[in-house]
Amino acid sequence: QTPVTPVSAKALASLHNIIKQDVFALNKTSMPRLQRHVQKLANATQMSFAQRAFLDNQNQLLIRINNEAKVRRSTKSVVLGKAKVMSFKDIEVARAARTTKEVIKGKGNGVRSVRVLC
């Protein structure tokens, strides 16, 4: 019976020992069994290399993301002006104040009407 493809180091070592035993008892009937065992060893090695490559790619991606975050955190923030959270009433009052200033300065085209909230 052919063993399953090993996925752990212990199972891989066990398969290697089976192959060594097959080599010492090599004859015409044990040759196909040895070939199956060697194929299992090759499959396990391929899977191991594929998993390793996947983990390397994932690590590179995480390193790149982490480096971008470091740059963002190390960049000094620049305050361009003051901001404040405004309610709709505050916005309406600010619009009215701006409109009156524009009318006083003569910039307004007179289309907007000034609203006064009670």
Side-chain angles (χ1 to χ4, degrees):
Q1 184 180 14
T2 305
V4 297
T5 302
V7 292
S8 67
K10 187 176 181 181
L12 191 61
S14 174
L15 180 61
H16 187 250
N17 289 334
I18 291 172
I19 291 172
K20 280 196 249 180
Q21 290 171 4
D22 286 348
V23 169
F24 288 124
L26 193 59
N27 59 24
K28 198 169 199 163
T29 58
S30 67
M31 187 62 112
R33 186 177 67 186
L34 177 63
Q35 288 174 344
R36 284 194 309 269
H37 289 154
V38 169
Q39 185 61 42
K40 289 292 178 184
L41 183 65
N43 289 346
T45 305
Q46 260 185 337
M47 284 195 317
S48 175
F49 283 137
Q51 287 175 346
R52 169 72 189 226
F54 174 75
L55 289 175
D56 282 344
N57 287 341
Q58 189 176 19
N59 282 343
Q60 290 300 319
L61 174 70
L62 292 174
I63 287 170
R64 221 177 316 128
I65 291 170
N66 193 30
N67 287 340
E68 289 173 4
K70 284 180 184 177
V71 169
R72 254 194 326 274
R73 284 191 303 261
S74 68
T75 304
K76 187 176 177 180
S77 60
V78 178
V79 178
L80 299 176
K82 292 184 180 180
K84 102 176 187 184
V85 178
M86 300 175 76
S87 68
F88 186 73
K89 287 183 180 181
D90 294 336
I91 292 172
E92 289 294 320
V93 169
R95 282 182 184 162
R98 185 183 66 216
T99 305
T100 56
K101 282 182 185 178
E102 288 176 356
V103 169
I104 291 172
K105 288 184 179 180
K107 288 185 177 180
N109 56 8
V111 175
R112 282 190 180 177
S113 63
V114 177
R115 290 188 210 169
V116 178
L117 296 175
C118 298

